[in-house]
Amino acid sequence: QVELVESVEGSAQAGGSLTISCVASGDTDDNNYIAWFRQDPGKKRRGVASIEPDGTILYAQSVEGRFTISVDSATNTVSLKMDNLAPGDTAMYYCAADSLPFGLGTWGVWPKYWGRGIQVTVSS
């Protein structure tokens, strides 16, 4: 079992930066495929960035070059640094984990564990 708790530091304005974090607890050694997803109202969740135990990182095309995913193994924290924010980045963001690879959800495979999500609103 894994518990994921998301948090956000600061507020977001267009063109600015924001970092969201996710602290994992429980069976984290075996569930170390981690990702961030976003969900817009009335739409399906979609992957934003993922990181695998071997360091392989995937980004959605819409955030490539703007967002950076990283892991701090000492604190079991995965962070998403979001730069050059745009109003279109406004969404609920969810941290997710599994013991098997799931990419960005585009393979039809979804992670087993999810955080409750946090709202990120980018003001113009």
Side-chain angles (χ1 to χ4, degrees):
Q1 195 75 13
V2 175
E3 182 180 15
L4 303 168
V5 180
E6 300 99 335
S7 63
V8 59
E9 303 171 10
S11 58
Q13 291 187 323
S17 298
L18 190 71
T19 297
I20 56 178
S21 299
C22 171
V23 177
S25 60
D27 190 12
T28 57
D29 287 345
D30 291 335
N31 292 276
N32 48 12
Y33 289 84
I34 309 288
W36 286 97
F37 285 72
R38 62 175 285 171
Q39 188 168 22
D40 300 278
K43 295 188 177 180
K44 185 180 177 181
R45 286 182 194 181
R46 51 195 173 101
V48 175
S50 68
I51 186 166
E52 301 186 352
D54 67 355
T56 298
I57 291 175
L58 298 175
Y59 291 106
Q61 188 174 8
S62 61
V63 306
E64 184 85 52
R66 298 191 300 123
F67 290 9
T68 304
I69 188 171
S70 61
V71 172
D72 183 342
S73 299
T75 61
N76 288 332
T77 301
V78 58
S79 298
L80 186 68
K81 188 173 187 298
M82 310 160 77
D83 294 319
N84 194 19
L85 284 161
D89 295 319
T90 295
M92 280 289 288
Y93 284 80
Y94 295 88
C95 180
D98 203 319
S99 60
L100 296 172
F102 53 85
L104 296 177
T106 52
W107 308 334
V109 179
W110 293 94
K112 182 175 182 180
Y113 300 106
W114 294 88
R116 292 187 175 184
I118 51 171
Q119 177 68 40
V120 172
T121 302
V122 181
S123 58
S124 57

